[in-house]
Amino acid sequence: MFGIDQISWGQFGTFILILLAFWYLWVILMAIAHQARFKRNHPFEEDQATSFAPENLRPIAVSSLDLPSRLIPFSLEMAIALPVSFYEETGLDEGYAISCFARPNDSRLPAILEQVQYQQ
């Protein structure tokens, strides 16, 4: 149709490589031109700064009276028991049907919940 049947893969590959080489050559030349046009004598960090004159710092006085005299307690002051349970391998778990948990009056539910390991 457009002469595609007359082009070999070698010619097509050569065309793509030449096109890619020209593209990279153009990118490199644009980068060199851009760099030559914008020669910087100052660092990038100072490029858009308005003023870098040193500011006059004023010291502030900090006293121990400004801080609390004792540690501020947490809102919970009572001891919280943290039960520790170790995982025990019980073999392959086939799981439970969702209907066991959907019915609150199921007789198997308390036995199932005792086996469930959770952490609060």
Side-chain angles (χ1 to χ4, degrees):
M1 183 165 157
F2 294 105
I4 294 176
D5 56 342
Q6 298 175 2
I7 297 175
S8 69
W9 282 106
Q11 290 174 335
F12 178 72
T14 305
F15 172 74
I16 294 295
L17 288 176
I18 291 172
L19 191 67
L20 198 61
F22 278 123
W23 168 256
Y24 279 117
L25 181 65
W26 181 77
V27 168
I28 290 170
L29 290 176
M30 291 301 293
I32 291 172
H34 184 74
Q35 183 180 12
R37 191 174 352 145
F38 294 109
K39 285 280 187 188
R40 291 192 174 121
N41 295 332
H42 54 279
F44 172 76
E45 290 83 4
E46 298 176 5
D47 194 22
Q48 296 182 3
T50 56
S51 172
F52 278 97
E55 298 178 8
N56 293 332
L57 301 176
R58 293 181 297 137
I60 58 171
V62 178
S63 172
S64 63
L65 297 176
D66 297 336
L67 303 172
S69 60
R70 61 183 180 90
L71 292 177
I72 299 172
F74 290 111
S75 60
L76 298 174
E77 293 183 2
M78 61 183 184
I80 300 173
L82 298 175
V84 177
S85 64
F86 295 103
Y87 177 76
E88 297 176 8
E89 181 63 40
T90 57
L92 184 62
D93 185 13
E94 295 296 326
Y96 299 100
I98 194 70
S99 62
C100 294
F101 301 101
R103 288 178 268 146
N105 296 332
D106 193 356
S107 62
R108 296 178 292 169
L109 190 59
I112 293 172
L113 291 178
E114 287 177 4
Q115 296 175 4
V116 173
Q117 298 182 10
Y118 64 95
Q119 183 177 3
Q120 291 181 333

